[in-house]
Amino acid sequence: MGSYAVFLRGINVGGINIKMADLREALKNCGFPDAKTLLASGNVVLSSSLDAGDVKRQCEKCLRSAFGYEAWVVVLDARSVAGLVAACPYPDDDKSTHSYVTLSSDTAVLDELEAAGSALDGHDQQRLGPGALAWLAPAGGTLDSPFSKISAKAKFKAATTTRNLRTMIKVRDAAAGLAGAG
């Protein structure tokens, strides 16, 4: 059994509202009996004998059926989440900036997003691996930052999702706890 983190894209924003209790119940009914949600922004940890690609496909199918929306998720095993947190060069708590990690299920899409970010003056980012890009935004101005506006474009939404580093740390810890319990 592997321990996985499932990051949902675009819920509890833009009219797609899902209660975490309903999300947990749907995933449990779809073959993930130990699914646990974290925060209200679509972070789940679960264990499965499936590989990450199959967990992704099963979760998306489940969410589409249970909630009637075009669901996209990024799935990482617990070790990968821990590696991304460790590799992030930015602070998890800073008064002037916020640290983010954009996760992608498609390397080519992340390559394009990274190139767009590299073209921005003053934008600080670092690739953490084939499926993740860390970046900084000014505190209180994340949604207005040029990179945030680029990453919100429709062409990126099916393959990417972004979490702040503090959330990634919580997911890392929960996934490690789930792995330790099995």
Side-chain angles (χ1 to χ4, degrees), residues 84-97:
L84 293 175
V85 168
C88 186
Y90 307 123
D92 61 334
D93 193 15
D94 182 284
K95 293 195 186 315
S96 63
T97 60

Side-chain angles (χ1 to χ4, degrees), residues 38-59:
L38 296 101
L39 310 170
S41 56
N43 307 291
V44 177
V45 294
L46 53 81
S47 60
S48 178
S49 60
L50 301 173
D51 67 19
D54 287 335
V55 170
K56 173 183 171 46
R57 285 183 284 283
Q58 185 70 17
C59 286

Side-chain angles (χ1 to χ4, degrees), residues 98 100 135 137-149:
H98 290 202
Y100 290 92
W135 53 284
T142 302
L143 295 177
D144 293 325
S145 74
F147 186 77
S148 183
K149 289 179 180 182

